């Protein structure tokens, strides 16, 4: 090729490049003016995500400054002093089924209800170790089907809707983590606890699975992720107990290490003595050590730590050591215990509210909360019973009361809350 021809070819290429650059710049300018992202042509089609409710900064809230939305964590950190347990609380528990409800009006409806009953706080069930209500790129296998299908951060949406009342006053936000395992035990049946008759559980993992197969670490990871994302006022752990499925071979090895006994305690007929004090001590040590690990992951800037516990079954002042829930041991680790008052679950409510007050709340009122459960079943509470329990709590001047879950609250239950909590002073100690 001649030199002149080569020069003409170079000029053509240069002109084409200049024309392409000009076209790109014109397109970029047009995109900038219309607000369309310049890289849209090169991006894959994004998952359609429902818009979040409007975010409002609460008055006198540690979240009020420098916060864009729940989930980004920037500017949401607050000191342990700011996050101390409120001296007074009336909390409503919102279940996973409501947080992830398909009905777009469900969360706004609950927000209105919270205003009507003057709730000072809300506890949000964000999921289990194997089933969570928010996108978690690092652990996609534990995202719930609702998250997988929509890409939505249901936790962030709920926090945005509930974090402050209609007067702009901040509510205490607790994130509730359920430690039962369903899907995980189907995938890894070796983790399931075994009862004294040799049958595996569909929900309870063994002590050895928690202590030696890493479930305690997974709980810490989930807590840490929730704190990093949402900086809640509190983390609550529920269903962490060992009521009976602790008799597999792996658990026997763990028990032997703890008790220095080669075998389970036995009854006269040779069967396992499941009421043995040694077994109670072992279970309580396991639960307390798991919660201690969780507490150790929460630094001075982190949230407070609370835990749900079963109501006592008898006069044992320790609470429920048969399930591994020794109240005194746990209060050396957590900030507060929520004692279940679940009349619809016979195994969870053996003593009256009056007895609970005398045994625990009256002695350390700031360390215990009464949690009223609406679970269906024999003995479950109707609105009249709920009203009676709520008013009884007010008569005893209990500092902390909660009701669960919103999915079982009809108009009559909400009216019972409104009637009982309307007696609460307008200026609440935790909203000062």
């Amino acid at each position: 090729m001649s030199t002149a021809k080569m020069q003409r070819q170079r000029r053509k290429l240069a002109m084409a490049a200049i024309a392409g650059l000009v076209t790109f710049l014109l397109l970029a300018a047009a995109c900038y003016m219309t607000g369309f992202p310049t890289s849209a042509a090169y991006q894959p089609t994004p998952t359609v995500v429902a818009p979040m409710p409007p975010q409002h900064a609460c008055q006198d809230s540690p979240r009020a400054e420098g916060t864009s939305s729940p989930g980004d964590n920037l500017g949401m950190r607050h000191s342990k002093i700011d996050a101390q347990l409120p001296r007074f609380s009336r909390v409503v528990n919102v279940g996973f089924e409501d947080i992830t409800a398909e009905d777009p009006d469900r969360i706004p409806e609950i927000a209105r209800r919270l205003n009507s009953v003057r709730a000072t706080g809300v506890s949000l069930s964000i999921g289990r170790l194997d089933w969570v209500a928010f996108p978690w790129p690092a652990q996609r296998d534990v995202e719930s089907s609702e998250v997988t299908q929509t890409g939505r951060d249901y936790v962030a949406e709920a926090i945005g809707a509930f974090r402050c009342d209609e007067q702009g006053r901040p509510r205490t936000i607790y994130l509730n983590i359920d430690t039962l395992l369903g899907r995980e035990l189907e995938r890894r049946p070796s983790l399931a606890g075994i009862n004294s008759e040799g049958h595996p559980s569909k929900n309870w993992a063994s002590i050895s699975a928690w202590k030696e197969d890493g479930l305690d670490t997974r709980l810490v990871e989930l807590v840490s992720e929730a704190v990093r994302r949402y900086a809640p006022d509190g983390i609550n752990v529920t269903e962490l107990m060992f009521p009976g499925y602790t008799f597999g071979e792996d658990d026997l090895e763990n028990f032997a290490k703890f008790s220095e006994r080669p075998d389970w305690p036995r009854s006269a007929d040779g069967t396992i003595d499941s009421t043995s004090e040694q077994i109670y001590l072992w279970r309580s040590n396991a639960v307390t050590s798991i919660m201690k690990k969780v507490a150790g992951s929460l630094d001075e800037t982190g949230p407070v730590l609370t835990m749900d516990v079963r109501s006592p079954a008898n006069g044992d002042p320790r609470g429920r050591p048969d399930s591994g829930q020794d109240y005194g041991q746990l209060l050396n680790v957590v900030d507060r215990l929520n004692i279940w008052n679940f009349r619809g679950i016979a195994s969870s409510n053996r003593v009256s509210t009056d007895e609970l007050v005398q045994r625990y709340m009256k002695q350390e009122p700031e360390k215990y909360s009464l949690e009223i459960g609406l679970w269906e079943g024999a003995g479950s509470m109707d609105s009249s019973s709920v009203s009676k329990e709520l008013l009884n709590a007010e008569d005893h001047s209990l500092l902390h009361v909660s009701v669960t879950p919103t999915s079982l609250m009809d108009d009559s239950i909400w009216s019972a809350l409104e009637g009982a909590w309307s007696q609460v002073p307008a200026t609440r100690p935790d909203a000062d």
Side-chain angles (χ1 to χ4, degrees):
M1 182 181 298
S2 67
T3 300
K5 189 173 183 180
M6 290 178 64
Q7 290 177 343
R8 287 195 299 272
Q9 187 69 20
R10 290 193 188 101
R11 283 196 295 270
K12 287 180 180 180
L13 290 174
M15 292 298 293
I18 291 171
L21 178 59
V22 171
T23 301
F24 175 79
L25 292 174
L26 289 173
L27 285 173
C31 290
Y32 176 80
M33 294 297 293
T34 60
F36 188 81
T38 58
S39 58
Y42 304 96
Q43 298 293 329
T45 302
T47 303
V48 177
V49 179
M52 287 180 58
Q55 306 298 301
H56 302 291
C58 303
Q59 299 172 8
D60 303 321
S61 170
R63 297 187 182 90
E65 296 181 4
T67 302
S68 57
S69 67
D72 67 8
N73 192 48
L74 297 177
M76 294 183 68
R77 287 289 187 181
H78 49 285
S79 71
K80 193 76 169 182
I81 295 175
D82 291 329
Q84 287 298 316
L85 282 169
R87 292 169 289 160
F88 176 94
S89 66
R90 293 296 181 265
V91 175
V92 173
N93 294 12
V94 184
F96 189 93
E97 66 280 1
D98 272 338
I99 290 177
T100 60
E102 292 184 7
D103 182 358
D105 295 326
R106 183 56 179 158
I107 293 299
E109 177 193 356
I110 294 174
R112 289 191 295 271
R113 296 285 199 175
L114 293 174
N115 288 328
S116 71
V117 302
R118 303 168 74 184
T120 70
V122 60
S123 180
L124 307 175
S125 294
I126 67 172
R128 300 179 174 182
L129 274 64
D130 59 356
W131 195 255
V132 299
F134 59 86
W136 196 352
Q139 299 197 36
R140 291 290 189 194
D141 61 326
V142 305
E143 293 178 355
S144 67
S145 57
E146 294 88 350
V147 172
T148 301
Q149 293 166 7
T150 66
R152 291 168 58 182
D153 188 334
Y154 292 95
V155 179
E157 293 178 20
I159 292 174
F162 302 148
R163 69 156 43 133
C164 51
D165 66 17
E166 59 189 346
Q167 303 298 324
R169 293 174 297 200
R171 290 195 182 97
T172 304
I173 300 293
Y174 298 93
L175 299 184
N176 185 41
I177 296 174
D178 190 327
T179 58
L180 289 180
L181 294 162
R183 185 172 64 166
E184 183 72 7
L185 298 188
E186 293 179 0
R187 295 187 296 201
R188 299 175 62 192
S190 63
L191 299 179
I194 307 295
N195 66 15
S196 59
E197 298 175 350
H199 302 305
S201 173
K202 295 181 179 180
N203 292 297
W204 306 99
S206 65
I207 286 180
S208 59
W210 278 96
K211 300 287 290 178
E212 298 167 14
D213 290 329
L215 290 185
D216 55 354
T217 299
R218 286 181 56 181
L219 176 59
V220 169
E221 290 174 350
L222 177 52
V223 168
S224 298
E225 183 67 12
V227 171
R228 185 191 70 81
R229 285 172 170 266
Y230 310 111
D233 300 292
I235 290 289
N236 184 69
V237 175
T238 189
E239 301 285 3
L240 183 56
M241 65 184 84
F242 298 107
Y245 290 92
T246 60
F247 296 107
E249 290 300 317
D250 290 343
D251 275 349
L252 177 56
E253 292 181 16
N254 191 283
F255 175 77
K257 292 177 184 177
F258 174 81
S259 66
E260 299 182 347
R261 299 174 54 136
D263 191 17
W264 301 112
R266 300 280 175 177
S267 301
D269 60 1
T271 59
I272 297 174
D273 179 9
S274 59
T275 64
S276 166
E277 182 66 17
Q278 280 279 38
I279 290 177
Y280 291 0
L281 293 174
W282 168 58
R283 290 174 178 170
S284 296
N285 176 268
V287 172
T288 301
S289 64
I290 293 168
M291 290 304 296
K292 185 176 182 179
K293 193 168 185 177
V294 174
S297 70
L298 302 175
D299 59 26
E300 293 182 356
T301 63
V304 293
L305 179 62
T306 64
M307 179 182 176
D308 289 355
V309 292
R310 295 172 116 184
S311 179
N314 50 44
D316 192 329
R318 295 174 297 177
R320 292 302 294 266
D322 59 313
S323 297
Q325 295 180 335
D326 184 310
Y327 295 178
Q329 286 186 21
L330 289 169
L331 285 175
N332 288 326
V333 176
V334 306
D335 295 292
R336 186 172 69 219
L337 295 177
N338 307 314
I339 302 180
W340 285 347
N341 184 0
F342 294 177
R343 298 192 181 283
I345 305 176
S347 63
S348 298
N349 192 82
R350 306 289 181 84
V351 300
S352 68
T353 297
D354 292 336
E355 289 178 283
L356 291 177
V357 171
Q358 292 302 317
R359 290 190 198 179
Y360 305 106
M361 284 78 168
K362 187 175 181 180
Q363 310 304 320
E364 296 182 283
E366 75 285 354
K367 290 291 188 179
Y368 292 98
S369 173
L370 180 71
E371 184 171 332
I372 299 171
L374 309 176
W375 308 112
E376 298 168 322
S380 59
M381 291 190 286
D382 57 16
S383 59
S384 177
S385 299
V386 171
S387 178
K388 181 179 178 180
E389 288 294 327
L390 290 169
L391 292 172
N392 192 17
E394 297 304 325
D395 288 341
H396 284 295
S397 299
L398 296 188
L399 295 183
H400 304 291
V401 179
S402 64
V403 182
T404 187
T406 50
S407 58
L408 294 180
M409 295 183 189
D410 58 17
D411 288 342
S412 65
I413 298 293
W414 284 109
S415 293
L417 266 72
E418 185 175 0
W421 290 355
S422 65
Q423 307 302 316
V424 175
T427 303
R428 300 182 295 273
D430 64 332
D432 288 345

